[in-house]
Amino acid sequence: MTKIDPRDLSFDDWDEHFFPRPTEQEFDRVVERAISRRGFLGGALAFGSGAAVMGTGILKGSTALAQQTSCFAFEQLAPQTDGTVHVPEGYSWDVLVRWGDPLFSDAPTFGPASGHPSTGADRVFGENTDGMELFNKGDTELLVVNSEYPNPKINLPAGQEGSPASLEDVRLLQSIQGVSVMEVAEGADGWAVVVDSPYNRRIHHNTPMVIDGPAAGHDLLKTAADPTGTQSLGTFNNCGSGRTPWGTYLTCEENFNGYFGTTAELSLDDATAAGFKRYGVSTKVDPGRYNYHGFDERFDLSKNPNEPHRAGYIVEIDPWNPDATPVKHTALGRFKHENAAYALTPEGQVVVYMGDDERGEYMYKWVSRDIYVPGGDTSTLLSEGQLFVAKFNDDMTGTWIALTPEDTGMSAAEIALFTRVAATQVSATTMDRPEWIAVNPTATEAYCCLTNNSRRGALDDDGNVRTNAAGEQMVPNAPNPREINRYGQIVRWRPHNADHGASTFDWDLYVMAGNPTVHTEGPYAGTANINAGNLFNSPDGMQIDTTGVIWIQTDGNDDNEGDFEGMGNNQMLAGDPVTGEIRRFLTGPNGSEVTGLTWSVDKRTMFVGIQHPGSPFPDGEGVLPRSAIVTVKRNDGAKVG
Ligand code: FEO
Ligand code: CA
Ligand code: CA
């Protein structure tokens, strides 16, 4: 059997490897049972025509037109399997920036086959681009972008097989993750980074941060370097993004657990040991995925067992002030944060929807105590309020359950620190890996990508349904109805009283991805808005543009075989919220995930992230593969979002 090197795997694949999916025999049995459910969820369960679909460069026209079979102004792209990006006829793409490109003129030069050295690694655009948002003041446009995790075999010197050999190597990896703030501008040759802009900034694994909210100062957040438990270093595994109405950036710490390890057997207190188990922090004495702990004591749990408690949060960054200290908002909970999607209640309270991307974890909502007043004090809006977790009912209603000390038996600080545990106390609904949530600006509704869950309904070796990290059995439930869910689905909800602050909602499934050419009936065929032309799996990234088009990005199996035949590489599709129609718009290079999407202020350019390409994209043979942001425009200059 070939030995798997964890450094060859994407983070999700790594997780899958160490927590493997069930055997083939179980899979076949479950498929057989699932297929026998004829007519099950035979189509997208439309809410009716609530969303106001306005004229745009993407949608052809009005709501009336949207009722027709085809409402998009582009021809669907065929699936692709090669090493580059494709867009429909009438559109063009270009590279804006790639890992290693300079943000400052003193950045090290990128060697085509060797990358860049550790010195100056915090002066270049980071690796594995993910969530991003664009901010503007007048003509100045800032793109703020996450760099989720490294590709050590590509980033570290050749011959080391992706293993750090020194603190210098660890510093290189730490420096190319986090967040890049960079000014961008469009000139005669297209879009480019404004090198040396006074706004350019790299935030990485050693950048000073402030911790606020209920967990700040808790004993479990104190370390030798920070006895106050309020000043941490670094933001980790920055996955999806968000923004606030007052113009700050939110970066979301996802698989933070993977950066910690131990060089000696551990003796932990009960709370810490239970927390490590629930959040997947390894207590084994081994190099782990990145072996930071082998060279940097801060990540060695035998010396600093509280360090992981200082990660797993929503972090707020002021893009306009390069000296501003980022703030970790513990009030919004500690879990494997995917993204943060805001809405305002009719009164003006700030709502932030958030997913916890792990099999059988939950969906959350924050509601601020105070209202947002443009130009007013915003200092309490992400620290004073109430965190809720979602419970979905079989009758297609749902409830946001408040995570309070009374109902969880935990203090406010403990709820902030061990949010997953609090949510389990109130019987939240286990979900199929909540990835991005998007709020529709043209209707009071929101959507969440539930990417896949290979363990849903699967049996363990003793014949029991497999559990999440809390020990809850992941039996199929209404919004996660498919056993061994290899394709994923998108759930949509409408808050009651058209108020995102309401504690109840109605929900449906906007789409269940599937493959009707391989599985002609049953839940693996997918909902009626899936057809041979628009096949995809594992919806992950998502944004809804100003006209109401849902942009869906995928991070799934791209081998184009078996259950995944006809899907091709990972991709970005456009969805109509009213008719449910979905069309493939863009495909990424083989091996890559398409993740991160935002628009220029004039909406004539779309910025799309290409993460971990599997071939030497975008520069071709002889140059290392480099994650990159590409721009997409219509050739006639019309708006694209
Ligand atoms: Fe970083 Fe769940 O994607
Ligand atoms: Ca993701
Ligand atoms: Ca994913």
Side-chain angles (χ1 to χ4, degrees):
M1 189 175 151
T2 317
K3 191 170 182 304
I4 301 281
D5 184 333
R7 289 167 298 252
D8 287 336
L9 305 175
S10 74
F11 217 111
D12 287 340
D13 290 345
W14 171 78
D15 199 37
E16 189 70 44
H17 175 70
F18 288 99
F19 302 92
R21 60 169 63 103
T23 64
E24 210 53 34
Q25 194 184 356
E26 287 168 342
F27 178 75
D28 291 345
R29 177 183 47 71
V30 173
V31 168
E32 207 173 299
R33 198 170 352 130
I35 285 175
S36 69
R37 295 182 184 180
R38 277 168 196 275
F40 176 75
L41 279 182
L45 309 172
F47 272 113
S49 55
V53 180
M54 295 174 288
T56 158
I58 294 296
L59 283 177
K60 272 184 180 162
S62 66
T63 302
L65 270 175
Q67 305 305 320
Q68 297 176 3
T69 314
S70 175
C71 66
F72 297 110
F74 62 89
E75 292 298 318
Q76 173 155 273
L77 192 64
Q80 306 289 331
T81 58
D82 63 12
T84 191
V85 166
H86 295 269
V87 292
E89 278 288 317
Y91 293 77
S92 301
W93 68 276
D94 199 0
V95 176
L96 170 72
V97 64
R98 351 147 156 69
W99 158 55
D101 280 346
L103 301 191
F104 302 93
S105 50
D106 63 359
T109 303
F110 190 90
S114 59
H116 56 72
S118 182
T119 304
D122 59 351
R123 309 292 279 172
V124 301
F125 180 63
E127 174 65 298
N128 274 343
T129 185
D130 208 317
M132 60 178 137
E133 306 283 337
L134 187 129
F135 300 87
N136 83 297
K137 281 185 183 174
D139 291 339
T140 304
E141 296 183 54
L142 302 185
L143 196 54
V144 187
V145 190
N146 290 341
S147 283
E148 188 180 27
Y149 63 94
N151 295 311
K153 281 193 169 176
I154 295 170
N155 309 135
L156 291 176
Q160 290 182 203
E161 291 299 308
S163 297
S166 62
L167 179 60
E168 192 185 0
D169 286 344
V170 169
R171 290 281 185 254
L172 187 155
L173 297 181
Q174 292 173 340
S175 298
I176 58 175
Q177 299 168 72
V179 177
S180 300
V181 181
M182 54 197 185
E183 185 176 346
V184 293
E186 188 175 28
D189 294 331
W191 285 88
V193 172
V194 180
V195 174
D196 292 330
S197 162
Y199 298 109
N200 290 0
R201 181 182 189 186
R202 282 299 326 284
I203 293 164
H204 48 67
H205 286 186
N206 291 295
T207 302
M209 311 260 151
V210 171
I211 302 171
D212 88 349
H218 190 279
D219 281 349
L220 288 174
L221 269 68
K222 294 174 181 169
T223 64
D226 172 26
T228 70
T230 61
Q231 313 280 325
S232 70
L233 292 181
T235 179
F236 299 95
N237 212 260
N238 307 81
C239 182
S241 58
R243 58 193 303 135
T244 63
W246 53 96
T248 57
Y249 182 75
L250 301 177
T251 186
C252 307
E253 298 186 318
E254 192 188 19
N255 294 300
F256 63 89
N257 56 313
Y259 297 103
F260 302 94
T262 181
T263 57
E265 292 294 333
L266 296 174
S267 170
L268 301 170
D269 63 69
D270 289 350
T272 301
F276 282 3
K277 187 154 184 276
R278 184 65 193 268
Y279 287 85
V281 177
S282 172
T283 54
K284 285 189 210 147
V285 182
D286 68 25
R289 188 168 166 81
Y290 306 122
N291 199 19
Y292 280 13
H293 53 286
F295 302 94
D296 186 345
E297 277 192 1
R298 186 155 69 91
F299 298 87
D300 183 349
L301 302 172
S302 70
K303 303 202 170 68
N304 286 294
N306 283 347
E307 196 67 30
H309 298 147
R310 295 145 67 87
Y313 298 108
I314 298 289
V315 184
E316 184 179 12
I317 294 168
D318 179 356
W320 298 102
N321 180 1
D323 297 323
T325 306
V327 181
K328 296 197 161 190
H329 288 296
T330 67
L332 276 67
R334 177 170 170 265
F335 43 90
K336 295 186 179 179
H337 280 284
E338 182 70 22
N339 83 320
Y342 89 84
L344 293 174
T345 70
E347 289 75 34
Q349 289 163 290
V350 177
V351 172
V352 185
Y353 289 114
M354 299 170 286
D356 181 354
D357 178 9
E358 186 135 41
R359 283 180 284 265
E361 292 297 338
Y362 314 120
M363 260 174 46
Y364 296 87
K365 178 177 86 165
W366 164 260
V367 182
S368 68
R369 180 192 65 191
D370 301 324
I371 63 167
Y372 165 62
V373 178
D377 176 21
T378 58
S379 62
T380 65
L381 298 178
L382 298 179
S383 54
E384 299 291 341
Q386 181 62 54
L387 189 61
F388 299 82
V389 67
K391 184 172 178 59
F392 289 80
N393 303 316
D394 291 351
D395 65 359
M396 303 187 74
T397 64
T399 309
W400 292 103
I401 306 173
L403 296 175
T404 63
E406 298 71 41
D407 292 338
T408 62
M410 299 165 68
S411 69
E414 288 167 341
I415 293 169
L417 181 51
F418 299 119
T419 310
R420 287 180 165 183
V421 177
T424 301
Q425 300 293 326
V426 298
S427 303
T429 301
T430 67
M431 307 298 282
D432 287 350
R433 299 187 49 202
E435 300 250 27
W436 285 62
I437 294 175
V439 173
N440 188 346
T442 67
T444 310
E445 62 182 22
Y447 296 68
C448 181
C449 288
L450 301 166
T451 195
N452 55 54
N453 184 351
S454 56
R455 291 178 157 196
R456 173 75 63 186
L459 304 184
D460 63 19
D461 292 342
D462 297 325
N464 300 313
V465 175
R466 284 176 181 261
T467 62
N468 65 3
E472 298 172 279
Q473 288 194 326
M474 291 187 287
V475 293
N477 58 37
N480 306 276
R482 194 157 48 184
E483 295 165 315
I484 319 286
N485 180 12
R486 309 188 81 177
Y487 295 129
Q489 66 269 14
I490 297 177
V491 66
R492 160 171 61 183
W493 61 96
R494 286 192 168 164
H496 287 164
N497 307 318
D499 177 358
H500 282 289
S503 60
T504 53
F505 57 89
D506 295 321
W507 66 269
D508 72 355
L509 291 179
Y510 173 70
V511 64
M512 279 213 320
N515 196 330
T517 60
V518 174
H519 304 285
T520 51
E521 59 181 29
Y524 280 23
T527 39
N529 49 350
I530 294 294
N531 54 62
N534 67 3
L535 300 177
F536 67 94
N537 74 91
S538 304
D540 183 334
M542 183 164 51
Q543 293 275 14
I544 304 179
D545 71 25
T546 56
T547 67
V549 174
I550 309 166
W551 296 93
I552 303 160
Q553 301 176 317
T554 71
D555 171 26
N557 185 313
D558 71 349
D559 67 14
N560 207 31
E561 293 175 355
D563 278 345
F564 306 99
E565 194 176 331
M567 297 184 179
N569 293 347
N570 280 303
Q571 54 190 291
M572 183 165 83
L573 308 102
D576 182 328
V578 178
T579 64
E581 186 194 358
I582 295 172
R583 277 193 175 195
R584 184 181 300 107
F585 176 80
L586 175 149
T587 57
N590 56 311
S592 73
E593 165 187 355
V594 180
T595 183
L597 172 64
T598 194
W599 290 265
S600 60
V601 173
D602 66 10
K603 309 294 181 201
R604 298 182 196 284
T605 301
M606 192 183 258
F607 299 94
V608 182
I610 303 296
Q611 198 192 74
H612 60 81
S615 46
F617 177 85
D619 301 318
E621 290 303 325
V623 185
L624 294 170
R626 302 168 79 180
S627 58
I629 295 174
V630 301
T631 55
V632 179
K633 297 188 68 142
R634 264 178 67 139
N635 296 342
D636 64 5
K639 294 183 178 182
V640 291

